[in-house]
Each structure stands twice: as structure tokens, then as C-alpha cells.
Amino acid sequence: MSRNQSPFSTLFDKHISEGIGNRFTQQQPVTLRDLLNHSADINIHGFNGYAQGEAVPSLLQVLDGAPPANSEPVRVEAIPGTEWKYSGGGYTVVQLMMAEACGKLFPELMQELVLGPLDMKDSTFATTLPPIWKTRAGIGHHTKGEPVSGGWHTGRGFLWENAGWRLVGSTIYAWWLGKIIFATQ
């Protein structure tokens, strides 16, 4: 397929053109490959998450930067493909596309296709930490050792997992998303 063709073209039209698209995407469309390899020139390096008790936005609120989201809107900042720039915002677009293509919420989809088959019982992509896990949740710390205020944070697309699965879970998620690239060529 050419750079502009994709089985997800309808989803691209909806989410890129109508959502994060602008004068840059009119010059060069964003592709799924661009989103997955961080060359779509999309802003939002990473997300801060939300402290316990804070409202957690929907996926669309995150993409639009609408309250209660605590980040800017996810947008293309330059002609796609001109530079490499890590973008959690780009992966957020992919999460929405996957959910809509399969008709399931992203956490359910990942449980069914990745975590369940691998018997990763202590891992989830749930938006909020399941109540039974709250007593076992680790708290992030800043580089100088002080705990992150608000205890553990939650957010869209976070992978909750026990320490033993951290590297394995993250690697498998990246591998699974990477397989989509080859299916669209």
C-alpha cells in the first residue's frame, strides 16, 4: 500500500482530519506508521495522570484538551514525517482508533487480545485502578526521592501491572501495536 492508504482510512478521516488535523496534515497526511513510530509530529510527549480522587477525563476529552483533562489538545505541530518526536498523544489517537475499529473500550480490547492470552492477571489498562488493587499500588517518586503528591496516579492508556510484569507487559504492548503496521502494508 502507499503511504496514504490504510484499512483505517475512515478512522483517519474522522480523527485526524476532523480532530487533530490542520494545515500540516493537508500537506502530508498522518499515517498509522507515523503514529506508532513517533514521526507524526504530534504534540504531548506524555501525560501527568490524575491523583486519587481527581476526575479522570474521557479519551475524547484528553484528545481535545477539554476539562477535566490536564493537558493541551493533541494536535499535529509540523508536516508529518519531518522529524521524530516521542508522542504519547499519537498513541492516544491509536487507542481511540483501535477501540472504534473493534467496537470495544481500549482496556477491554487489551485484556481480550493481549493480557488475557498471556495470563497477565495482575495487569490491566483500566482507566482507574481496580479497588482490590489499591492496597498494593506503588506510589511514584520524583528524582530526589519525594513521593508524587496524590499517591498513585491514574489516566487513559496507563498499563497497571505488578513489578514482575512491568518490562514484559510494556514490551508486549509495543510489539502488539507494532504488528498493526505490517498488517496495513
Side-chain angles (χ1 to χ4, degrees), residues 104-133:
K104 296 183 179 186
L105 296 174
F106 183 74
E108 294 171 16
L109 184 61
M110 294 307 292
Q111 184 63 41
E112 179 183 317
L113 297 175
V114 179
L115 303 176
L118 293 171
D119 201 27
M120 294 176 68
K121 295 176 184 169
D122 288 335
S123 301
T124 183
F125 278 91
T127 302
T128 56
L129 190 62
I132 196 167
W133 291 6

Side-chain angles (χ1 to χ4, degrees), residues 116-168:
L118 293 171
D119 201 27
M120 294 176 68
K121 295 176 184 169
D122 288 335
S123 301
T124 183
F125 278 91
T127 302
T128 56
L129 190 62
I132 196 167
W133 291 6
K134 289 182 180 180
T135 59
R136 300 185 298 163
I139 297 174
H141 287 72
H142 295 285
T143 55
K144 293 185 179 180
E146 64 272 2
V148 172
S149 64
W152 44 264
H153 284 203
T154 188
R156 298 260 159 219
F158 284 16
L159 173 59
W160 295 98
E161 55 202 345
N162 69 23
W165 277 109
R166 181 160 315 280
L167 178 60
V168 174

Side-chain angles (χ1 to χ4, degrees), residues 40-55:
D41 290 289
I42 292 179
N43 65 340
I44 311 296
H45 175 82
F47 297 96
N48 293 324
Y50 302 87
Q52 297 173 52
E54 285 186 319

Side-chain angles (χ1 to χ4, degrees), residues 15 18-22 24 40-44 62-65 72-78 85 87 89 93:
H15 297 296
E18 296 175 14
I20 65 171
N22 55 26
F24 300 120
D41 290 289
I42 292 179
N43 65 340
I44 311 296
V62 169
L63 289 170
D64 289 338
E72 296 294 318
V74 174
R75 297 293 183 263
V76 177
E77 297 184 313
K85 176 172 59 174
S87 174
V93 173

